Structure formats: structure tokens, C-alpha cells
């Protein structure tokens, strides 16, 4: 039995520290060492949840290329249970530009699943879902087609969540994920003042609109929104990459431990703030507060 099943979202981040975002126009820039390390959203949620003490399983496709080896090595350093299928399209990769304040800009190459058939059978996915107390689905290519299977396999009382990231409220790719979920996280970066209307349109689902250093807005099933203040980090911010994933993991952990939704969201903000003080997603013991 697992506390959390994460579906999709493994990849590698190439972290590049730059003097500013966007970088100054130039033929070349001298930067600190460029590092390849585990990244992308599913890894971020799984690793943060693992650091919070949850029993985590993760299912995805992954290349057999050097980038895939980076991911496998990082996961092997944890107790996260993995179910992986080789992806002939390679491993998803991102180039993450990080400025001195820790702000990130991600250049994302999805390397979509190009297999001739679905990477997992209905029975394989259903078994994993039945063994989980919470299911979180990343907005990955192959996972989109398996949403009906995942939803149908959910036992009564087991919630499904997803993170739509910087959805603009209109792109049709994201909507099946939102419609399959009970809990929807979405960044407010492209929604602006349309966020309440978008959240109302997704009712009766609970929607959390995250706003980085400005906190988050909790829309409980179409009810009155609840403001969730950001937590001030206890140490300097060095890398905001993965903060949203840490927030999602904190929210899930809080709910699984019996916290009311507003209290779980406040705890999630504390987890996200702590994640910003660490470079990368492999969190050392004790960094993320277990509540």
C-alpha cells in the first residue's frame, strides 16, 4: 500500500545559473558549472512527498539514454517504488535558467512517448491505483490517454489530483486532466484576474491557484475563495524550481494526515518555502517540515 501514486513526469533538468532572466543578449556567457539532475514535475512531487515521509510509487516512461540514467540513479537513492517502461523517444529534458534570486525559466523538451502501443496495460495501472491512498497525475502525453482507466480504478474515497501548471484556462490539452481530477492545482501566471472564473468553471472540483511568493488562492469546490499566504523561507532562496511540486506534495501529505483543506494548504506553503532554500529536488533529511 502506498500513500501516493505519481503518474508520469520524470525527466532531467539542465540547471544553468545566469546573471538575469532573460539573459543579456550576447554570443556567449560564462556561467557556473552546468548540472544535469533529476527533474520535471512528477519527480518533483514524488521526491518532495518522499522527503515528507510518505510511501511513494511512481509510474512513467523513461529513456535508456544518459539522461535516463541520471533519473534512475537519483531514484535509486530513495525508497520511491518505480514502475518504468523504456521510452524509445528518450528522456524528457528541460534547460532551467536560474537567476541570482533563484527565479527560474524553464525551456522544456517533452520528448513524447512514441511507442506503438500504450506503455502500461489497463490492469497494471488499475492495480497501482488500487494500492494508493492518493493519485497524482502529471500532464504527460501517455497519461492523458489513460485518464479514463485511472479514474475508473479509483476506490471510493481515494482522490485524484493534477497540476495544470501555467494553463491559460483555454488550451484544450489540459482540460481532460482537470475533468478527471478531484483536486486541481494551477499557476496563476497566465490566468491573472480570470482565475476565479476559471476555478468556478471547474467546480465542484477543489482548485488551488498558486502565485509563488504571493501565496495561493484556495477555491473549495466552487465555494468562497480562501487566501493562503506565502511562507517566508527560513534561509536564502537559491532555486525556485520544484517549489510548486513541493507545494502539491505538502497539500497531499497534509490531507492524508487529516488536516482540513485550508490548514493543509498553509502547510503546503511552508513546504514550498523550504524547498526554495535548496538547490535541486533531492532534499536532504530534515529540510522539508513534516508537520
Amino acid at each position: 500500500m502506498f500513500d501516493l501514486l505519481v503518474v508520469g513526469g520524470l525527466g532531467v533538468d539542465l540547471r544553468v545559473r545566469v546573471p538575469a532572466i532573460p539573459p543579456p543578449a550576447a554570443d556567449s556567457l560564462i556561467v557556473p558549472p552546468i548540472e544535469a539532475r533529476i527533474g520535471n514535475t512528477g519527480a518533483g512531487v514524488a521526491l518532495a512527498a518522499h522527503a515528507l515521509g510518505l510511501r511513494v510509487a511512481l509510474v512513467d516512461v523513461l529513456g535508456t539514454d544518459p539522461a535516463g540514467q541520471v533519473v534512475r540513479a537519483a531514484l535509486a537513492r530513495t525508497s520511491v517504488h518505480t514502475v518504468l517502461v523504456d521510452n524509445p523517444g528518450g528522456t524528457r529534458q528541460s534547460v532551467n535558467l536560474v537567476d541570482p534570486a533563484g527565479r527560474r525559466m524553464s525551456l522544456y523538451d517533452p520528448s513524447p512517448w512514441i511507442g506503438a502501443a500504450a506503455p502500461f496495460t489497463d490492469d497494471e495501472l488499475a492495480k497501482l491505483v488500487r494500492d494508493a491512498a492518493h493519485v497524482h497525475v502529471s500532464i504527460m502525453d501517455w497519461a492523458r490517454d489513460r485518464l479514463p482507466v485511472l479514474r475508473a480504478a479509483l476506490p471510493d474515497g481515494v482522490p485524484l489530483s493534477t497540476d495544470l501548471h501555467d494553463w491559460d484556462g483555454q488550451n484544450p490539452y489540459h482540460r481532460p486532466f482537470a475533468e478527471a481530477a478531484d483536486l486541481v492545482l494551477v499557476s496563476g501566471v497566465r490566468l491573472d484576474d480570470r482565475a476565479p472564473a476559471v476555478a468556478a468553471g471547474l467546480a465542484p472540483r477543489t482548485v488551488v491557484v498558486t502565485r509563488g511568493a504571493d501565496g495561493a488562492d484556495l477555491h473549495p469546490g466552487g465555494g468562497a475563495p480562501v487566501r493562503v499566504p506565502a511562507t517566508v523561507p527560513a534561509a536564502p532562496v537559491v532555486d525556485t524550481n520544484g517549489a510548486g511540486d513541493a507545494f502539491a506534495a505538502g497539500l497531499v501529505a497534509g490531507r492524508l494526515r487529516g488536516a482540513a483543506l485550508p490548514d493543509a494548504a498553509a502547510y503546503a506553503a511552508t513546504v514550498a518555502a523550504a524547498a526554495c532554500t535548496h538547490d535541486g529536488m533531492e532534499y536532504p533529511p530534515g529540510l522539508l517540515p513534516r508537520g
Side-chain angles (χ1 to χ4, degrees):
M1 188 71 183
F2 300 102
D3 298 309
L4 173 64
L5 169 65
V6 178
V7 180
L10 283 177
V12 158
D13 289 342
L14 298 175
R15 196 281 313 277
V16 184
R17 291 205 172 273
V18 293
I21 296 178
D27 288 341
S28 63
L29 289 173
I30 302 298
V31 299
I34 297 172
E35 298 181 39
R37 55 198 185 178
I38 187 171
N40 286 217
T41 183
V45 174
L47 292 175
H50 173 267
L52 293 174
L54 299 189
R55 297 165 296 175
V56 181
L58 192 154
V59 56
D60 199 7
V61 299
L62 189 66
T64 58
D65 48 8
Q69 294 307 313
V70 170
V71 174
R72 288 182 171 87
L75 291 172
R77 293 190 284 268
T78 74
S79 61
V80 173
H81 175 75
T82 58
V83 180
L84 304 175
V85 165
D86 291 346
N87 183 7
T91 301
R92 307 178 190 100
Q93 298 188 62
S94 297
V95 175
N96 287 345
L97 307 181
V98 181
D99 71 9
R103 192 166 65 100
R104 178 211 67 177
M105 178 179 183
S106 181
L107 310 176
Y108 178 58
D109 169 15
S111 289
W113 168 252
I114 60 172
F120 304 96
T121 68
D122 292 358
D123 288 344
E124 287 172 327
L125 289 177
K127 183 178 185 305
L128 287 166
V129 169
R130 289 194 295 266
D131 285 341
H134 186 109
V135 177
H136 182 83
V137 183
S138 305
I139 53 171
M140 298 295 106
D141 35 62
W142 70 266
R144 190 172 187 262
D145 295 333
R146 314 313 293 158
L147 286 169
V149 173
L150 294 168
R151 186 74 227 183
L154 282 175
D156 290 343
V158 173
L160 186 149
S161 61
T162 192
D163 189 341
L164 305 183
H165 296 279
D166 59 347
W167 187 42
D168 61 2
Q170 298 177 341
N171 188 332
Y173 176 86
H174 301 71
R175 188 159 293 278
F177 291 97
E179 292 178 348
D182 305 292
L183 170 63
V184 177
L185 294 98
V186 59
S187 168
V189 66
R190 290 188 179 180
L191 296 180
D192 299 322
D193 56 1
R194 295 181 295 115
V198 170
L202 293 176
R205 299 160 189 87
T206 294
V207 178
V208 182
V209 181
T210 56
R211 301 184 182 279
D214 292 327
D217 296 318
L218 175 63
H219 298 263
V226 176
R227 184 69 182 148
V228 181
T231 298
V232 178
V237 172
V238 296
D239 185 7
T240 58
N241 184 47
D245 301 325
F247 184 100
L251 186 60
V252 170
R255 293 293 281 161
L256 287 175
R257 291 166 180 162
L261 195 56
D263 294 334
Y267 168 63
T270 302
V271 172
C276 291
T277 67
H278 177 69
D279 192 8
M281 295 179 176
E282 293 187 72
Y283 303 106
L287 179 77
L288 302 187
R290 294 197 174 188

